[in-house]
Amino acid sequence: MSIVLNHTIVPAADKSTAAQFLADLLGLEVGAPTGPFIPLQVNDDLTLDFDDRHGVHPCHYAFLVDDGTFDALLARVERSPEIDYGSGHAGGWDRSINHLGGGRGVYVRDPNGHAYEFFTAVPD
């Protein structure tokens, strides 16, 4: 059996709001509460469990996505002036994308301070 990340906990100030933010970016549906968590099924193998019991500790989450998903996500953040996004750490939240690894990439900051990175090719 190969090793597959099955789930991880995403700390949030408000687990429902945080889960909905990422779900909206990716065009996904938030799951029904499971115990203390609000789950977001990202793909067949990975669920992000949003949890607001222990405070927020901003983290970085990176997603390899296809071109169609990237285009839809970029269109969503471009329509939302309140969402910080940009080309990366050096460019900050410059409302542009990068072309690392020969693809396209963007970082999006969620209201909890997490940096979500989305790219169409694995960066070098």
Side-chain angles (χ1 to χ4, degrees):
M1 174 165 88
S2 62
I3 298 171
V4 176
L5 179 63
N6 176 263
H7 69 276
T8 192
I9 295 171
V10 179
D14 178 314
K15 62 188 176 189
S16 296
T17 301
Q20 192 63 57
F21 177 85
L22 184 57
D24 289 346
L25 287 178
L26 293 172
L28 301 173
E29 296 292 325
V30 173
T34 303
F37 306 112
I38 299 292
L40 178 62
Q41 185 83 36
V42 175
N43 59 39
D44 291 340
D45 296 317
L46 178 62
T47 301
L48 299 179
D49 291 326
F50 289 81
D51 183 4
D52 56 10
R53 296 173 299 157
H54 305 291
V56 177
H57 310 284
C59 299
H60 175 99
Y61 300 91
F63 300 90
L64 177 61
V65 299
D66 60 38
D67 285 313
T69 300
F70 188 90
D71 291 340
L73 181 144
L74 187 59
R76 289 181 189 107
V77 297
E78 286 176 337
R79 287 191 306 265
S80 300
E82 68 277 1
I83 297 177
D84 290 332
Y85 73 94
S87 59
H89 298 294
W93 308 110
D94 58 5
R95 301 189 70 80
S96 64
I97 66 170
N98 65 56
H99 297 279
L100 301 175
R104 297 177 295 154
V106 67
Y107 292 78
V108 178
R109 181 168 44 191
D110 95 325
N112 292 289
H114 298 306
Y116 293 123
E117 179 182 7
F118 304 97
F119 46 88
T120 61
V122 177
D124 297 332

